[in-house]
Amino acid sequence: MQNVKTKKNKRAISDVVSVVLTITGVLIAVLILALSIQQLSDNILKSPEFDCIDLSIKPPVKIINTCYNFEDKDLNIELEKTMQNIEIKSLEFLISTSQTTETFFCSDSCSNCEIIKQGRKTYYLSSDDKPARVTIKINGCVLETREIINNC
């Protein structure tokens, strides 16, 4: 009789051990899955990360119009922001004449220049000579070059 009781106890203990091991395995699997999902969601929240190739294929800002005002000696550049999901940290204008190229830099730290946030915005840049073309760069990437043929 005692032999039968010992067999039942061993069997009961093995059932408990298997249930505990199964629950532990499931908890570890859920933990690994949760950590994987959290890491994936962190990467998605940091997106979109765009490089210069992406920006040149689908530029977030386009030059709408450029013209030179001979009286004020100002170059007027009208831009339009076409993609709202890209944060523009810096905006550069490279103004080329027949002899030189001047760079105008605009960022959030500038007090006299505001980066386009949405819609259209016109920038007025001083230039003693009529420029031949303007190039815009966003976050260090060249987006577009436009010849200046119109007079304001």
PDB file of all heavy atoms in Angstrom, residues 79-110:
ATOM      1  N   LEU A  79       8.734  79.787 -51.341  1.00  0.00           N
ATOM      2  CA  LEU A  79       8.811  78.343 -51.122  1.00  0.00           C
ATOM      3  C   LEU A  79       7.451  77.814 -50.689  1.00  0.00           C
ATOM      4  O   LEU A  79       6.639  78.545 -50.113  1.00  0.00           O
ATOM      5  CB  LEU A  79       9.826  78.012 -50.026  1.00  0.00           C
ATOM      6  CG  LEU A  79      11.270  78.432 -50.239  1.00  0.00           C
ATOM      7  CD1 LEU A  79      12.117  77.993 -49.045  1.00  0.00           C
ATOM      8  CD2 LEU A  79      11.828  77.865 -51.521  1.00  0.00           C
ATOM      9  N   GLU A  80       7.236  76.535 -50.956  1.00  0.00           N
ATOM     10  CA  GLU A  80       6.033  75.861 -50.478  1.00  0.00           C
ATOM     11  C   GLU A  80       6.448  74.555 -49.820  1.00  0.00           C
ATOM     12  O   GLU A  80       7.203  73.772 -50.399  1.00  0.00           O
ATOM     13  CB  GLU A  80       5.068  75.574 -51.620  1.00  0.00           C
ATOM     14  CG  GLU A  80       3.808  74.873 -51.160  1.00  0.00           C
ATOM     15  CD  GLU A  80       2.817  74.636 -52.281  1.00  0.00           C
ATOM     16  OE1 GLU A  80       3.240  74.495 -53.450  1.00  0.00           O
ATOM     17  OE2 GLU A  80       1.625  74.592 -51.989  1.00  0.00           O
ATOM     18  N   LYS A  81       5.945  74.336 -48.606  1.00  0.00           N
ATOM     19  CA  LYS A  81       6.218  73.079 -47.910  1.00  0.00           C
ATOM     20  C   LYS A  81       5.164  72.070 -48.346  1.00  0.00           C
ATOM     21  O   LYS A  81       3.970  72.285 -48.182  1.00  0.00           O
ATOM     22  CB  LYS A  81       6.203  73.264 -46.398  1.00  0.00           C
ATOM     23  CG  LYS A  81       6.666  72.025 -45.673  1.00  0.00           C
ATOM     24  CD  LYS A  81       6.986  72.286 -44.234  1.00  0.00           C
ATOM     25  CE  LYS A  81       7.531  70.998 -43.611  1.00  0.00           C
ATOM     26  NZ  LYS A  81       7.695  71.126 -42.195  1.00  0.00           N
ATOM     27  N   THR A  82       5.623  70.957 -48.908  1.00  0.00           N
ATOM     28  CA  THR A  82       4.713  69.959 -49.466  1.00  0.00           C
ATOM     29  C   THR A  82       4.543  68.740 -48.570  1.00  0.00           C
ATOM     30  O   THR A  82       3.602  67.986 -48.742  1.00  0.00           O
ATOM     31  CB  THR A  82       5.210  69.498 -50.842  1.00  0.00           C
ATOM     32  OG1 THR A  82       6.555  69.008 -50.703  1.00  0.00           O
ATOM     33  CG2 THR A  82       5.189  70.643 -51.840  1.00  0.00           C
ATOM     34  N   MET A  83       5.471  68.519 -47.643  1.00  0.00           N
ATOM     35  CA  MET A  83       5.386  67.378 -46.721  1.00  0.00           C
ATOM     36  C   MET A  83       5.445  67.900 -45.295  1.00  0.00           C
ATOM     37  O   MET A  83       6.411  68.555 -44.913  1.00  0.00           O
ATOM     38  CB  MET A  83       6.531  66.394 -46.959  1.00  0.00           C
ATOM     39  CG  MET A  83       6.466  65.672 -48.281  1.00  0.00           C
ATOM     40  SD  MET A  83       7.897  64.599 -48.552  1.00  0.00           S
ATOM     41  CE  MET A  83       7.693  63.392 -47.279  1.00  0.00           C
ATOM     42  N   GLN A  84       4.435  67.591 -44.505  1.00  0.00           N
ATOM     43  CA  GLN A  84       4.366  68.115 -43.142  1.00  0.00           C
ATOM     44  C   GLN A  84       5.086  67.231 -42.128  1.00  0.00           C
ATOM     45  O   GLN A  84       5.372  67.674 -41.030  1.00  0.00           O
ATOM     46  CB  GLN A  84       2.901  68.294 -42.720  1.00  0.00           C
ATOM     47  CG  GLN A  84       2.126  69.238 -43.608  1.00  0.00           C
ATOM     48  CD  GLN A  84       2.757  70.613 -43.733  1.00  0.00           C
ATOM     49  OE1 GLN A  84       3.268  71.169 -42.774  1.00  0.00           O
ATOM     50  NE2 GLN A  84       2.756  71.148 -44.947  1.00  0.00           N
ATOM     51  N   ASN A  85       5.387  65.989 -42.475  1.00  0.00           N
ATOM     52  CA  ASN A  85       5.956  65.064 -41.501  1.00  0.00           C
ATOM     53  C   ASN A  85       7.476  65.124 -41.404  1.00  0.00           C
ATOM     54  O   ASN A  85       8.079  64.314 -40.731  1.00  0.00           O
ATOM     55  CB  ASN A  85       5.517  63.623 -41.808  1.00  0.00           C
ATOM     56  CG  ASN A  85       6.002  63.142 -43.159  1.00  0.00           C
ATOM     57  OD1 ASN A  85       6.284  63.939 -44.048  1.00  0.00           O
ATOM     58  ND2 ASN A  85       6.090  61.850 -43.326  1.00  0.00           N
ATOM     59  N   ILE A  86       8.089  66.093 -42.067  1.00  0.00           N
ATOM     60  CA  ILE A  86       9.546  66.225 -41.989  1.00  0.00           C
ATOM     61  C   ILE A  86       9.881  67.482 -41.212  1.00  0.00           C
ATOM     62  O   ILE A  86       9.394  68.567 -41.527  1.00  0.00           O
ATOM     63  CB  ILE A  86      10.168  66.288 -43.393  1.00  0.00           C
ATOM     64  CG1 ILE A  86      10.000  64.948 -44.085  1.00  0.00           C
ATOM     65  CG2 ILE A  86      11.636  66.669 -43.324  1.00  0.00           C
ATOM     66  CD1 ILE A  86      10.616  64.867 -45.433  1.00  0.00           C
ATOM     67  N   GLU A  87      10.707  67.312 -40.199  1.00  0.00           N
ATOM     68  CA  GLU A  87      11.162  68.462 -39.417  1.00  0.00           C
ATOM     69  C   GLU A  87      12.364  69.082 -40.124  1.00  0.00           C
ATOM     70  O   GLU A  87      13.361  68.413 -40.376  1.00  0.00           O
ATOM     71  CB  GLU A  87      11.552  68.019 -38.010  1.00  0.00           C
ATOM     72  CG  GLU A  87      12.036  69.162 -37.155  1.00  0.00           C
ATOM     73  CD  GLU A  87      12.535  68.721 -35.793  1.00  0.00           C
ATOM     74  OE1 GLU A  87      12.486  67.508 -35.493  1.00  0.00           O
ATOM     75  OE2 GLU A  87      12.986  69.586 -35.040  1.00  0.00           O
ATOM     76  N   ILE A  88      12.246  70.350 -40.438  1.00  0.00           N
ATOM     77  CA  ILE A  88      13.342  71.064 -41.091  1.00  0.00           C
ATOM     78  C   ILE A  88      14.152  71.745 -40.001  1.00  0.00           C
ATOM     79  O   ILE A  88      13.659  72.625 -39.304  1.00  0.00           O
ATOM     80  CB  ILE A  88      12.807  72.090 -42.107  1.00  0.00           C
ATOM     81  CG1 ILE A  88      12.003  71.372 -43.183  1.00  0.00           C
ATOM     82  CG2 ILE A  88      13.949  72.884 -42.713  1.00  0.00           C
ATOM     83  CD1 ILE A  88      11.304  72.299 -44.149  1.00  0.00           C
ATOM     84  N   LYS A  89      15.401  71.308 -39.859  1.00  0.00           N
ATOM     85  CA  LYS A  89      16.272  71.868 -38.830  1.00  0.00           C
ATOM     86  C   LYS A  89      17.088  73.028 -39.359  1.00  0.00           C
ATOM     87  O   LYS A  89      17.447  73.930 -38.620  1.00  0.00           O
ATOM     88  CB  LYS A  89      17.190  70.774 -38.287  1.00  0.00           C
ATOM     89  CG  LYS A  89      16.435  69.654 -37.620  1.00  0.00           C
ATOM     90  CD  LYS A  89      17.350  68.540 -37.193  1.00  0.00           C
ATOM     91  CE  LYS A  89      16.541  67.395 -36.635  1.00  0.00           C
ATOM     92  NZ  LYS A  89      17.320  66.216 -36.396  1.00  0.00           N
ATOM     93  N   SER A  90      17.404  72.973 -40.649  1.00  0.00           N
ATOM     94  CA  SER A  90      18.168  74.065 -41.252  1.00  0.00           C
ATOM     95  C   SER A  90      17.750  74.239 -42.704  1.00  0.00           C
ATOM     96  O   SER A  90      17.375  73.284 -43.372  1.00  0.00           O
ATOM     97  CB  SER A  90      19.676  73.791 -41.169  1.00  0.00           C
ATOM     98  OG  SER A  90      20.025  72.688 -41.978  1.00  0.00           O
ATOM     99  N   LEU A  91      17.817  75.481 -43.141  1.00  0.00           N
ATOM    100  CA  LEU A  91      17.449  75.843 -44.504  1.00  0.00           C
ATOM    101  C   LEU A  91      18.549  76.756 -45.025  1.00  0.00           C
ATOM    102  O   LEU A  91      18.893  77.744 -44.379  1.00  0.00           O
ATOM    103  CB  LEU A  91      16.095  76.563 -44.486  1.00  0.00           C
ATOM    104  CG  LEU A  91      15.542  77.120 -45.775  1.00  0.00           C
ATOM    105  CD1 LEU A  91      15.283  76.008 -46.779  1.00  0.00           C
ATOM    106  CD2 LEU A  91      14.252  77.867 -45.499  1.00  0.00           C
ATOM    107  N   GLU A  92      19.124  76.373 -46.164  1.00  0.00           N
ATOM    108  CA  GLU A  92      20.201  77.173 -46.750  1.00  0.00           C
ATOM    109  C   GLU A  92      19.815  77.608 -48.152  1.00  0.00           C
ATOM    110  O   GLU A  92      19.200  76.850 -48.902  1.00  0.00           O
ATOM    111  CB  GLU A  92      21.498  76.355 -46.838  1.00  0.00           C
ATOM    112  CG  GLU A  92      22.139  76.054 -45.511  1.00  0.00           C
ATOM    113  CD  GLU A  92      23.379  75.199 -45.688  1.00  0.00           C
ATOM    114  OE1 GLU A  92      24.380  75.711 -46.232  1.00  0.00           O
ATOM    115  OE2 GLU A  92      23.325  74.025 -45.298  1.00  0.00           O
ATOM    116  N   PHE A  93      20.192  78.829 -48.473  1.00  0.00           N
ATOM    117  CA  PHE A  93      20.018  79.361 -49.818  1.00  0.00           C
ATOM    118  C   PHE A  93      21.397  79.634 -50.369  1.00  0.00           C
ATOM    119  O   PHE A  93      22.164  80.396 -49.782  1.00  0.00           O
ATOM    120  CB  PHE A  93      19.221  80.674 -49.789  1.00  0.00           C
ATOM    121  CG  PHE A  93      17.836  80.529 -49.247  1.00  0.00           C
ATOM    122  CD1 PHE A  93      17.569  80.774 -47.911  1.00  0.00           C
ATOM    123  CD2 PHE A  93      16.788  80.146 -50.069  1.00  0.00           C
ATOM    124  CE1 PHE A  93      16.292  80.651 -47.401  1.00  0.00           C
ATOM    125  CE2 PHE A  93      15.505  80.018 -49.574  1.00  0.00           C
ATOM    126  CZ  PHE A  93      15.258  80.273 -48.232  1.00  0.00           C
ATOM    127  N   LEU A  94      21.745  79.020 -51.486  1.00  0.00           N
ATOM    128  CA  LEU A  94      23.008  79.291 -52.162  1.00  0.00           C
ATOM    129  C   LEU A  94      22.676  80.165 -53.368  1.00  0.00           C
ATOM    130  O   LEU A  94      22.027  79.701 -54.306  1.00  0.00           O
ATOM    131  CB  LEU A  94      23.693  77.999 -52.606  1.00  0.00           C
ATOM    132  CG  LEU A  94      24.301  77.180 -51.470  1.00  0.00           C
ATOM    133  CD1 LEU A  94      23.264  76.295 -50.832  1.00  0.00           C
ATOM    134  CD2 LEU A  94      25.449  76.377 -51.969  1.00  0.00           C
ATOM    135  N   ILE A  95      23.116  81.414 -53.305  1.00  0.00           N
ATOM    136  CA  ILE A  95      22.806  82.396 -54.334  1.00  0.00           C
ATOM    137  C   ILE A  95      24.040  82.544 -55.216  1.00  0.00           C
ATOM    138  O   ILE A  95      25.091  82.991 -54.757  1.00  0.00           O
ATOM    139  CB  ILE A  95      22.439  83.768 -53.713  1.00  0.00           C
ATOM    140  CG1 ILE A  95      21.406  83.595 -52.595  1.00  0.00           C
ATOM    141  CG2 ILE A  95      21.997  84.731 -54.779  1.00  0.00           C
ATOM    142  CD1 ILE A  95      20.115  82.980 -53.020  1.00  0.00           C
ATOM    143  N   SER A  96      23.909  82.167 -56.479  1.00  0.00           N
ATOM    144  CA  SER A  96      25.050  82.175 -57.401  1.00  0.00           C
ATOM    145  C   SER A  96      24.907  83.297 -58.418  1.00  0.00           C
ATOM    146  O   SER A  96      23.877  83.419 -59.084  1.00  0.00           O
ATOM    147  CB  SER A  96      25.152  80.840 -58.134  1.00  0.00           C
ATOM    148  OG  SER A  96      25.294  79.795 -57.216  1.00  0.00           O
ATOM    149  N   THR A  97      25.952  84.099 -58.515  1.00  0.00           N
ATOM    150  CA  THR A  97      26.046  85.089 -59.586  1.00  0.00           C
ATOM    151  C   THR A  97      27.015  84.525 -60.612  1.00  0.00           C
ATOM    152  O   THR A  97      27.466  83.388 -60.493  1.00  0.00           O
ATOM    153  CB  THR A  97      26.544  86.449 -59.045  1.00  0.00           C
ATOM    154  OG1 THR A  97      27.864  86.289 -58.539  1.00  0.00           O
ATOM    155  CG2 THR A  97      25.629  86.991 -57.958  1.00  0.00           C
ATOM    156  N   SER A  98      27.379  85.326 -61.578  1.00  0.00           N
ATOM    157  CA  SER A  98      28.320  84.840 -62.596  1.00  0.00           C
ATOM    158  C   SER A  98      29.713  84.610 -62.010  1.00  0.00           C
ATOM    159  O   SER A  98      30.499  83.846 -62.556  1.00  0.00           O
ATOM    160  CB  SER A  98      28.386  85.820 -63.763  1.00  0.00           C
ATOM    161  OG  SER A  98      28.773  87.097 -63.282  1.00  0.00           O
ATOM    162  N   GLN A  99      30.013  85.265 -60.873  1.00  0.00           N
ATOM    163  CA  GLN A  99      31.365  85.161 -60.319  1.00  0.00           C
ATOM    164  C   GLN A  99      31.444  84.505 -58.947  1.00  0.00           C
ATOM    165  O   GLN A  99      32.457  83.899 -58.608  1.00  0.00           O
ATOM    166  CB  GLN A  99      31.984  86.553 -60.238  1.00  0.00           C
ATOM    167  CG  GLN A  99      32.107  87.223 -61.593  1.00  0.00           C
ATOM    168  CD  GLN A  99      32.543  88.677 -61.462  1.00  0.00           C
ATOM    169  OE1 GLN A  99      32.680  89.201 -60.371  1.00  0.00           O
ATOM    170  NE2 GLN A  99      32.761  89.321 -62.599  1.00  0.00           N
ATOM    171  N   THR A 100      30.407  84.643 -58.119  1.00  0.00           N
ATOM    172  CA  THR A 100      30.503  84.152 -56.736  1.00  0.00           C
ATOM    173  C   THR A 100      29.238  83.387 -56.336  1.00  0.00           C
ATOM    174  O   THR A 100      28.232  83.432 -57.014  1.00  0.00           O
ATOM    175  CB  THR A 100      30.667  85.323 -55.740  1.00  0.00           C
ATOM    176  OG1 THR A 100      29.509  86.157 -55.820  1.00  0.00           O
ATOM    177  CG2 THR A 100      31.916  86.120 -56.008  1.00  0.00           C
ATOM    178  N   THR A 101      29.352  82.734 -55.193  1.00  0.00           N
ATOM    179  CA  THR A 101      28.200  82.085 -54.574  1.00  0.00           C
ATOM    180  C   THR A 101      28.150  82.512 -53.116  1.00  0.00           C
ATOM    181  O   THR A 101      29.130  82.377 -52.391  1.00  0.00           O
ATOM    182  CB  THR A 101      28.299  80.552 -54.660  1.00  0.00           C
ATOM    183  OG1 THR A 101      28.323  80.172 -56.038  1.00  0.00           O
ATOM    184  CG2 THR A 101      27.127  79.879 -53.985  1.00  0.00           C
ATOM    185  N   GLU A 102      27.002  83.053 -52.717  1.00  0.00           N
ATOM    186  CA  GLU A 102      26.783  83.454 -51.336  1.00  0.00           C
ATOM    187  C   GLU A 102      25.845  82.449 -50.688  1.00  0.00           C
ATOM    188  O   GLU A 102      24.923  81.946 -51.340  1.00  0.00           O
ATOM    189  CB  GLU A 102      26.092  84.820 -51.264  1.00  0.00           C
ATOM    190  CG  GLU A 102      27.021  86.002 -51.261  1.00  0.00           C
ATOM    191  CD  GLU A 102      26.219  87.274 -51.025  1.00  0.00           C
ATOM    192  OE1 GLU A 102      25.582  87.727 -51.981  1.00  0.00           O
ATOM    193  OE2 GLU A 102      26.224  87.780 -49.884  1.00  0.00           O
ATOM    194  N   THR A 103      26.060  82.193 -49.396  1.00  0.00           N
ATOM    195  CA  THR A 103      25.190  81.270 -48.666  1.00  0.00           C
ATOM    196  C   THR A 103      24.449  82.029 -47.582  1.00  0.00           C
ATOM    197  O   THR A 103      25.063  82.755 -46.798  1.00  0.00           O
ATOM    198  CB  THR A 103      26.014  80.126 -48.035  1.00  0.00           C
ATOM    199  OG1 THR A 103      26.707  79.437 -49.071  1.00  0.00           O
ATOM    200  CG2 THR A 103      25.120  79.158 -47.305  1.00  0.00           C
ATOM    201  N   PHE A 104      23.133  81.863 -47.552  1.00  0.00           N
ATOM    202  CA  PHE A 104      22.296  82.400 -46.491  1.00  0.00           C
ATOM    203  C   PHE A 104      21.762  81.216 -45.710  1.00  0.00           C
ATOM    204  O   PHE A 104      21.190  80.291 -46.288  1.00  0.00           O
ATOM    205  CB  PHE A 104      21.140  83.228 -47.065  1.00  0.00           C
ATOM    206  CG  PHE A 104      21.582  84.486 -47.751  1.00  0.00           C
ATOM    207  CD1 PHE A 104      21.920  84.479 -49.090  1.00  0.00           C
ATOM    208  CD2 PHE A 104      21.660  85.673 -47.049  1.00  0.00           C
ATOM    209  CE1 PHE A 104      22.332  85.630 -49.733  1.00  0.00           C
ATOM    210  CE2 PHE A 104      22.068  86.842 -47.678  1.00  0.00           C
ATOM    211  CZ  PHE A 104      22.407  86.822 -49.027  1.00  0.00           C
ATOM    212  N   PHE A 105      21.968  81.260 -44.402  1.00  0.00           N
ATOM    213  CA  PHE A 105      21.634  80.132 -43.543  1.00  0.00           C
ATOM    214  C   PHE A 105      20.475  80.504 -42.629  1.00  0.00           C
ATOM    215  O   PHE A 105      20.458  81.591 -42.058  1.00  0.00           O
ATOM    216  CB  PHE A 105      22.867  79.747 -42.715  1.00  0.00           C
ATOM    217  CG  PHE A 105      22.697  78.504 -41.908  1.00  0.00           C
ATOM    218  CD1 PHE A 105      22.776  77.258 -42.494  1.00  0.00           C
ATOM    219  CD2 PHE A 105      22.459  78.575 -40.547  1.00  0.00           C
ATOM    220  CE1 PHE A 105      22.619  76.105 -41.751  1.00  0.00           C
ATOM    221  CE2 PHE A 105      22.306  77.434 -39.796  1.00  0.00           C
ATOM    222  CZ  PHE A 105      22.385  76.197 -40.395  1.00  0.00           C
ATOM    223  N   CYS A 106      19.528  79.597 -42.492  1.00  0.00           N
ATOM    224  CA  CYS A 106      18.361  79.827 -41.650  1.00  0.00           C
ATOM    225  C   CYS A 106      18.149  78.595 -40.771  1.00  0.00           C
ATOM    226  O   CYS A 106      18.151  77.470 -41.275  1.00  0.00           O
ATOM    227  CB  CYS A 106      17.139  80.059 -42.546  1.00  0.00           C
ATOM    228  SG  CYS A 106      15.665  80.529 -41.675  1.00  0.00           S
ATOM    229  N   SER A 107      18.001  78.826 -39.459  1.00  0.00           N
ATOM    230  CA  SER A 107      17.715  77.722 -38.542  1.00  0.00           C
ATOM    231  C   SER A 107      16.860  78.248 -37.398  1.00  0.00           C
ATOM    232  O   SER A 107      16.568  79.438 -37.318  1.00  0.00           O
ATOM    233  CB  SER A 107      19.015  77.101 -38.005  1.00  0.00           C
ATOM    234  OG  SER A 107      19.637  77.969 -37.104  1.00  0.00           O
ATOM    235  N   ASP A 108      16.477  77.354 -36.503  1.00  0.00           N
ATOM    236  CA  ASP A 108      15.650  77.764 -35.365  1.00  0.00           C
ATOM    237  C   ASP A 108      16.384  78.723 -34.432  1.00  0.00           C
ATOM    238  O   ASP A 108      15.755  79.468 -33.696  1.00  0.00           O
ATOM    239  CB  ASP A 108      15.180  76.540 -34.576  1.00  0.00           C
ATOM    240  CG  ASP A 108      14.097  75.775 -35.315  1.00  0.00           C
ATOM    241  OD1 ASP A 108      13.421  76.381 -36.162  1.00  0.00           O
ATOM    242  OD2 ASP A 108      13.929  74.569 -35.043  1.00  0.00           O
ATOM    243  N   SER A 109      17.711  78.693 -34.463  1.00  0.00           N
ATOM    244  CA  SER A 109      18.479  79.570 -33.580  1.00  0.00           C
ATOM    245  C   SER A 109      18.661  80.976 -34.158  1.00  0.00           C
ATOM    246  O   SER A 109      19.140  81.854 -33.464  1.00  0.00           O
ATOM    247  CB  SER A 109      19.842  78.945 -33.275  1.00  0.00           C
ATOM    248  OG  SER A 109      20.580  78.783 -34.468  1.00  0.00           O
ATOM    249  N   CYS A 110      18.269  81.185 -35.409  1.00  0.00           N
ATOM    250  CA  CYS A 110      18.376  82.516 -36.018  1.00  0.00           C
ATOM    251  C   CYS A 110      17.250  83.405 -35.506  1.00  0.00           C
ATOM    252  O   CYS A 110      16.115  82.975 -35.380  1.00  0.00           O
ATOM    253  CB  CYS A 110      18.277  82.436 -37.540  1.00  0.00           C
ATOM    254  SG  CYS A 110      19.663  81.618 -38.315  1.00  0.00           S
TER     255      CYS A 110
END
